[in-house]
């Protein structure tokens, strides 16, 4: 029977390290999901995590697995490429990146890793805002969304939301693309399956795999944790549908 | 070749090749390694020990002799032969070659490979060098070694695709953010390209820091005899920090390298200032890697200072000057960071003045001024003295020789007037 943990701290967590996320942030939950998946698949000893410049990147501080922590902004897919190839494609490699890291500053690295069918898993945490720097507009900010750099709301000329897994699904080098959320237990379990499937397809050598995680950023959204859950359900999921776009 | 004998041949209009013998530190002779066997060619089991090679290809031969089997790069003139060399040769040696999507991508692939503990390099020219700065700075933070061959071309911007020495300052001053240091080696011959890159890998692994091999388009395109040899610089500490997956190292603790040391808590450095202090100590240790070559400087009243192709041009001019009885010498930095300040300071104390010959508007001249504290005049012969006003113009020995004579005449006149 497949191992599945349903409570307690993930096994792959470094003793004494705190996940220092804001109240109501989903990044800690996403980290938990990733670590449970790696643990349940029994691949921790052959897995390397590479984090980018993003709040969620700080998860890698606590992960009890070999890691490259907080590489240059946007470049995690390149670092993952060099690391994976230098080890002759042996380890499972996944990145943890924010939305700005993945599809703003790191768009070139992402698309080119996809075009090379690089056998890595890119994880993008989408909270529709730049959380680490204090609430500026992200490439994923929704139309009309007020941020510190769109004080009157995001307009068309500020850009339209980027649907990344849908876009990546059109590229031949991408083997798997999905989007999930962790706002409900059901979505948590569904998204964990997506992440496991992405790692599995990577281990099969199928090509680049990609999972987007919807997350909440209550301080920068100026909402409390409960209101943030509501925003994910009512505003984000309609704009960023949950599901697999390429399998 | 004995350097004194070269001096006796002054006036012979041919380019002089140095027997590679690097001076390390102020005075001690330092044979930078005993060489053992040549690099094996897996295809036929052997290869010629001597060949006629292009400067750019010599970098490839030297890198594989140093055990480098990983190369990530992006095409840019005038270094394309390096990238192409690795594309052809590494797969035959069970190595990894990958053309990145840009220089930013390539240097980050280098970072990823370096994190696994392998010897890895990239190569670029000036505009690509500019793009790599962010990640070189990150590698210094993460204390990851790598070698970057920088084949300089004219700037600013796209500038030209031909030779120049206009990236001296960005190479020697830590071109990225944060005021870091990296050793910069400056070969002047095809043979030295091959030899110095082996030294570069050793220094990079010794200090866990990027090392730059600074050449130029002229040295890259030039063809000269090359003798393949493998240098043994001694044993280094094992890379017991390599990120390879916990099962592969089996020491039951995770291996992590962080590019934001200082921002995050790391066991080795309790605070940001502890980290900066540790880096400072390392940079000071790296200063012991200074190497240079002195040529007729002992009694020189005018000391030329030049690196790369300008050093070869200057040496020829020194030979002609010596033939005319002028007390002129050449100090050739083989590392421009750390810079050989001590021999220059000593020459200034003796009363020698200086002529810096460099194919830029004047960058290394600042280091010479800093080394000599304004005690004696420091003259500059820069790229505006090229023989043609085009991208392919060069600083020629004739121009340097004329400038030597002008300076010597001036100083003699001043001496007479004062007397």
């Amino acid at each position: 029977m497949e191992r599945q943990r349903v409570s307690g701290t993930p096994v792959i967590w470094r003793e004494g390290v705190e996940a220092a996320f804001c109240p109501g942030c989903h990044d800690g939950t996403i980290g938990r999901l990733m670590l449970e998946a790696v643990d349940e698949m029994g691949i921790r000893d052959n897995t390397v995590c590479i984090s980018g410049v993003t709040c969620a990147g700080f998860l890698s501080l606590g992960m009890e697995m070999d890691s490259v922590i907080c590489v240059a902004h946007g470049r995690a897919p390149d670092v993952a490429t060099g690391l994976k190839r230098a080890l002759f494609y042996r380890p499972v490699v996944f990145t943890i990146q924010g939305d700005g890291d993945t599809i703003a500053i790191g768009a070139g690295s992402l698309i080119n890793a996809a075009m090379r069918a690089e056998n890595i898993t890119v994880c993008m945490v989408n909270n529709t805002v730049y959380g680490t720097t204090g609430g500026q507009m992200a490439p994923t900010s929704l139309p009309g969304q007020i941020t510190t750099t769109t004080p009157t709301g995001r307009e068309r000329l500020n850009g339209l939301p980027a649907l990344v897994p849908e876009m990546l699904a059109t590229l031949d080098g991408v083997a798997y693309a999905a989007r999930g959320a962790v706002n409900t237990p059901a979505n948590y379990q569904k998204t964990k399956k997506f992440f496991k499937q992405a790692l599995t397809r990577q281990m099969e050598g199928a090509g680049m795999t990609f999972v987007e995680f919807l997350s909440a950023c209550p301080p920068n959204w100026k909402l409390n944790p409960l209101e943030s859950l509501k925003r994910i359900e009512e505003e984000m999921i309609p704009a960023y549908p949950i599901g697999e776009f390429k399998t | 070749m004995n350097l004194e004998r070269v001096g006796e041949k002054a006036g012979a209009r041919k380019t002089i090749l140095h027997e590679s013998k690097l001076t390390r530190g102020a005075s001690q002779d330092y044979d930078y390694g005993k060489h053992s066997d040549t690099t094996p060619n897996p295809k036929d089991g052997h290869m010629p020990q001597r060949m006629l090679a292009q400067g750019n290809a010599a970098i490839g031969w030297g890198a594989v002799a140093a055990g480098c089997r990983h190369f990530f790069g992006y095409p840019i003139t005038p270094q394309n032969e390096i990238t192409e060399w690795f594309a052809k040769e590494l797969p035959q040696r069970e190595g990894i070659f990958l053309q990145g999507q840009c220089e930013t991508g390539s240097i980050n692939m280098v970072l990823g490979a370096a994190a696994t503990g392998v010897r890895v390099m990239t190569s670029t020219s000036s505009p690509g060098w500019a793009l790599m700065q962010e990640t070189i700075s990150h590698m210094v933070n993460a204390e990851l070694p790598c070698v970057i061959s920088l084949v300089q071309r004219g700037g600013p911007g796209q500038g030209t695709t031909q030779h120049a020495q206009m990236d001296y300052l960005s190479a020697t001053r830590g071109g990225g953010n944060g005021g870091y240091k990296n050793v910069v080696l400056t070969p002047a011959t095809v043979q030295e390209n091959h030899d110095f890159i082996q030294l570069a890998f050793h220094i990079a692994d010794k200090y866990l820091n990027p090392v730059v091999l600074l050449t130029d388009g002229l040295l890259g395109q030039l063809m000269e005899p090359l003798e393949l040899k493998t240098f043994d610089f001694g044993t280094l500490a094992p890379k017991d920090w390599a990120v390879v997956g916990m099962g592969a190292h089996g020491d039951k603790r995770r291996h992590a390298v962080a590019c934001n040391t200082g921002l995050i808590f790391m066991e080795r450095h309790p605070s940001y200032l502890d980290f900066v202090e540790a880096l400072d100590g390392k940079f000071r240790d790296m200063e012991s890697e200074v190497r240079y070559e002195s040529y007729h400087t002992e009694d020189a009243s005018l000391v030329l200072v030049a690196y790369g192709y300008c050093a070869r041009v200057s040496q020829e001019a020194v030979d002609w000057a010596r033939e005319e009885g002028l007390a002129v010498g050449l100090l050739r930095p083989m590392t421009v960071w750390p810079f050989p300040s001590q021999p220059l300071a000593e020459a200034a104390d003796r009363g020698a003045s200086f002529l810096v010959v460099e194919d830029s508007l004047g960058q290394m001249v600042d280091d010479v001024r800093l080394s000599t504290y304004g005690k004696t005049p420091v003259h500059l012969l820069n790229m505006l003295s090229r023989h043609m006003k085009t991208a392919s113009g060069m600083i020629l020995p004739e121009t340097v020789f004329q400038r030597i004579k002008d300076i010597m005449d001036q100083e003699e006149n001043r001496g007479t007037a004062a007397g």
Side-chain angles (χ1 to χ4, degrees):
Chain A
M1 193 184 136
E2 197 189 353
R3 291 167 64 199
Q4 195 168 353
R5 282 180 70 85
V6 292
S7 68
T9 309
V11 174
I12 311 174
W13 190 257
R14 310 188 72 211
E15 218 177 302
V17 177
E18 289 176 17
F21 295 113
C22 307
C25 174
H26 291 189
D27 288 4
T29 315
I30 291 164
R32 179 198 183 87
L33 176 156
M34 290 171 165
L35 293 176
E36 283 180 359
V38 168
D39 182 35
E40 287 163 16
M41 291 171 76
I43 56 171
R44 187 272 300 265
D45 283 358
N46 195 33
T47 301
V48 175
C49 169
I50 294 166
S51 59
V53 176
T54 162
C55 289
F58 286 89
L59 285 166
S60 58
L61 301 187
M63 292 186 168
E64 191 67 18
M65 67 171 76
D66 276 17
S67 308
V68 183
I69 299 170
C70 293
V71 301
H73 202 9
R75 306 302 155 212
D78 298 323
V79 175
T81 298
L83 187 136
K84 179 104 183 185
R85 292 191 183 225
L87 294 173
F88 295 97
Y89 311 96
R90 172 179 55 77
V92 179
V93 179
F94 71 91
T95 72
I96 304 179
Q97 303 178 250
D99 36 18
D101 199 61
T102 311
I103 197 62
I105 195 167
S109 297
L110 172 76
I111 306 279
N112 280 279
M115 281 156 55
R116 287 193 305 268
E118 207 68 55
N119 264 302
I120 58 172
T121 298
V122 173
C123 298
M124 166 175 133
V125 177
N126 172 4
N127 59 6
T128 72
V129 78
Y130 277 70
T132 322
T133 47
Q136 296 82 8
M137 183 189 74
T140 46
S141 294
L142 295 172
Q145 184 175 337
I146 289 171
T147 71
T148 57
T149 49
T150 51
T152 56
R154 190 183 197 193
E155 295 168 14
R156 191 180 170 84
L157 289 177
N158 300 128
L160 297 163
L163 296 169
V164 186
E166 288 89 332
M167 175 179 72
L168 289 178
T170 65
L171 296 176
D172 287 345
V174 174
Y176 182 83
R179 180 186 294 114
V182 295
N183 62 325
T184 64
N187 279 343
Y188 181 94
Q189 294 304 336
K190 189 188 266 185
T191 306
K192 190 154 104 181
K193 284 201 183 88
F194 293 166
F195 182 61
K196 281 183 172 180
Q197 182 62 14
L199 296 183
T200 304
R201 296 291 285 150
Q202 180 193 155
M203 289 159 74
E204 290 166 4
M208 198 186 88
T209 60
F210 180 92
V211 183
E212 174 178 332
F213 299 81
L214 300 184
S215 185
C217 189
N220 288 312
W221 291 356
K222 316 287 183 213
L223 299 175
N224 68 32
L226 279 177
E227 291 164 345
S228 298
L229 286 174
K230 200 168 163 226
R231 179 174 187 258
I232 289 184
E233 196 63 50
E234 293 177 1
E235 294 180 38
M236 280 179 73
I237 291 177
Y240 295 110
I242 288 171
E244 294 170 302
F245 303 95
K246 191 165 189 180
T247 55
Chain B
M1 189 180 290
N2 183 306
L3 294 180
E4 291 310 312
R5 281 217 315 278
V6 173
E8 286 164 18
K9 284 190 205 162
R13 296 206 173 200
K14 62 169 191 162
T15 313
I16 294 148
L17 292 177
H18 296 279
E19 181 69 25
S20 285
K21 199 174 190 188
L22 307 187
T23 310
R24 183 177 190 259
S27 57
Q28 73 189 107
D29 274 350
Y30 180 73
D31 185 352
Y32 63 104
K34 46 184 190 295
H35 50 87
S36 47
D37 54 340
T38 53
T39 313
N41 186 337
K43 252 186 154 179
D44 51 16
H46 62 87
M47 65 164 68
Q49 295 201 355
R50 293 181 71 86
M51 59 171 72
L52 187 65
Q54 195 194 40
N56 279 339
I59 289 175
W61 289 112
V64 294
C68 170
R69 295 291 182 277
H70 296 79
F71 184 98
F72 301 91
Y74 186 76
I76 183 168
T77 308
Q79 67 75 52
N80 291 314
E81 296 81 5
I82 303 180
T83 311
E84 289 163 5
W85 191 93
F86 282 101
K88 179 165 164 279
E89 297 287 339
L90 277 185
Q92 300 178 44
R93 292 172 168 76
E94 296 180 343
I96 299 287
F97 167 86
L98 181 63
Q99 179 172 325
Q101 74 274 13
C102 58
E103 286 87 350
T104 309
S106 303
I107 191 72
N108 280 284
M109 293 168 189
V110 166
L111 189 155
T116 70
V118 299
R119 284 193 161 176
V120 57
M121 70 170 286
T122 186
S123 167
T124 189
S125 185
S126 307
W129 165 249
L131 281 173
M132 291 183 177
Q133 298 311 312
E134 177 197 33
T135 296
I136 295 171
S137 173
H138 281 62
M139 290 186 82
V140 172
N141 181 299
E143 300 200 61
L144 287 174
C146 76
V147 173
I148 302 136
S149 114
L150 167 54
V151 184
Q152 296 175 90
R153 65 187 243 188
Q158 298 289 307
T160 79
T161 56
Q162 298 192 40
H163 62 272
Q165 296 184 319
M166 300 171 84
D167 299 316
Y168 177 93
L169 283 175
S170 69
T172 57
R173 294 303 191 274
N177 63 304
Y180 56 88
K181 307 285 188 195
N182 50 256
V183 172
V184 183
L185 296 166
T186 47
T189 65
V190 170
Q191 184 69 49
E192 283 188 351
N193 270 1
H194 165 275
D195 298 353
F196 283 24
I197 195 141
Q198 296 185 52
L199 181 62
F201 276 106
H202 179 77
I203 294 174
D205 280 352
K206 186 173 171 186
Y207 297 98
L208 302 181
N209 202 66
V211 172
V212 176
L213 186 84
L214 185 68
T215 74
D216 59 65
L218 203 65
L219 191 54
Q221 303 297 322
L222 180 71
M223 290 192 87
E224 285 182 334
L226 171 66
E227 186 187 348
L228 299 181
K229 44 193 172 183
T230 302
F231 292 93
D232 177 6
F233 299 105
T235 315
L236 293 169
K239 293 177 176 175
D240 57 4
W241 43 263
V243 178
V244 291
M246 283 177 76
H249 54 74
D251 56 13
K252 295 197 170 109
R253 61 185 177 89
R254 74 145 179 187
H255 290 182
V257 294
C259 302
N260 58 350
T261 314
L263 179 66
I264 60 164
F265 173 85
M266 295 296 281
E267 287 83 349
R268 281 194 301 139
H269 307 297
S271 75
Y272 173 61
L273 259 289
D274 290 323
F275 166 61
V276 173
E277 190 178 357
L279 276 187
D280 183 53
K282 185 164 93 169
F283 297 154
R284 286 169 194 275
D285 289 346
M286 279 157 52
E287 286 176 12
S288 69
E289 298 297 337
V290 67
R291 286 164 171 84
Y292 60 91
E293 187 178 67
S294 300
Y295 184 65
H296 291 318
T297 52
E298 303 77 20
D299 62 338
S301 60
L302 178 66
V303 174
L304 274 62
V305 188
Y307 73 96
Y309 99 81
C310 285
R312 296 175 64 161
V313 166
S314 297
Q315 185 171 342
E316 194 154 358
V318 166
D319 287 340
W320 298 344
R322 283 276 165 182
E323 200 173 45
E324 295 205 358
L326 299 173
V328 179
L330 167 68
L331 190 126
R332 173 169 81 95
M334 292 161 155
T335 56
V336 286
W337 196 92
F339 192 72
S341 294
Q342 194 183 334
L344 292 171
E346 286 166 5
D349 286 340
R350 276 205 323 269
S353 53
F354 300 89
L355 171 60
V356 178
V357 181
E358 57 176 323
D359 203 3
S360 69
L361 288 172
Q363 300 187 10
M364 186 171 69
V365 67
D366 291 349
D367 275 338
V368 177
R369 288 188 182 122
L370 282 169
S371 303
T372 57
Y373 297 105
K375 284 176 186 161
T376 54
V378 176
H379 306 276
L380 171 66
L381 195 156
N382 69 9
M383 68 189 302
L384 299 180
S385 300
R386 285 181 175 192
H387 80 296
M388 294 192 302
K389 281 181 175 290
T390 65
S392 50
M394 284 174 60
I395 296 174
L396 295 181
E398 288 81 356
T399 318
V400 180
F401 181 53
Q402 188 55 50
R403 187 66 186 273
I404 290 171
K405 286 202 292 189
D406 291 348
I407 293 169
M408 299 294 262
D409 284 350
Q410 273 173 23
E411 296 197 347
E412 199 174 319
N413 291 340
R414 224 187 359 253
T416 311

